[in-house]
Amino acid sequence: TTAAHVDFEDDVADFLGFDAALLFSSGYLANIGAITALAGRGDLIVSDTGTHASLIDGCRLSRARVVVVERGDVDAVRRALAARSERRALVVTDSIYSIDGECAPIADLYGAAYESGATLLVDEAHALGVRGPGGRGVVAECGLSGADGLVVTAVASKSLGAQGGIVAGPTLLRAHLIDRARTFIFDT
């Protein structure tokens, strides 16, 4: 990590409305790193049928119990979270599904996750630069930038015209990822 990386991370965190961000070498690695650092054995991940391959692989590699629900089915997410025996839970979705460009019900998913004490991870890869105020994504469009219990991932390789993946959230998340995200630690 160089000063240029940290400057970019600070700028992108400010742009997205979060306290901190961490740059990975790709969006694929950012998603896998974030998911596996936030969930593991003894945890629950609720994912939907429209998620990107990197989110699916992150769920598989986490070793958490994964419940897959139909995309956009907030009631199914609520039921899965209410029925869990696990102490920690993570809800995972894309904001804009890459297959057809449909927008996920981010505000409702956040409400469902927050009400049950779960964290919501939203992949903004297809929304950054094209949705929300100033291209800040669907999370910003919903007024949720920087919200408690919310993590955003994105890529620099689409609308930003650069290389890499981004995980944005609280400052403590950034520190946790530096210590726990194998796709950050062991990627050179």
Side-chain angles (χ1 to χ4, degrees), residues 55-120:
L55 296 173
I56 294 168
D57 291 350
C59 291
R60 290 175 178 165
L61 290 169
S62 74
R63 298 184 178 154
R65 182 170 70 93
V66 179
V67 173
V68 179
V69 300
E70 288 298 318
R71 77 176 188 181
D73 190 344
V74 178
D75 289 334
V77 171
R78 280 194 172 93
R79 285 191 302 274
L81 292 171
R84 79 179 195 254
S85 59
E86 297 85 359
R87 185 177 62 83
R88 294 187 319 164
L90 178 66
V91 178
V92 175
T93 190
D94 289 271
S95 61
I96 301 293
Y97 298 107
S98 61
I99 300 298
D100 59 11
E102 185 178 327
C103 185
I106 297 301
D108 293 335
L109 288 170
Y110 176 75
Y114 188 81
E115 290 164 8
S116 70
T119 297
L120 174 64

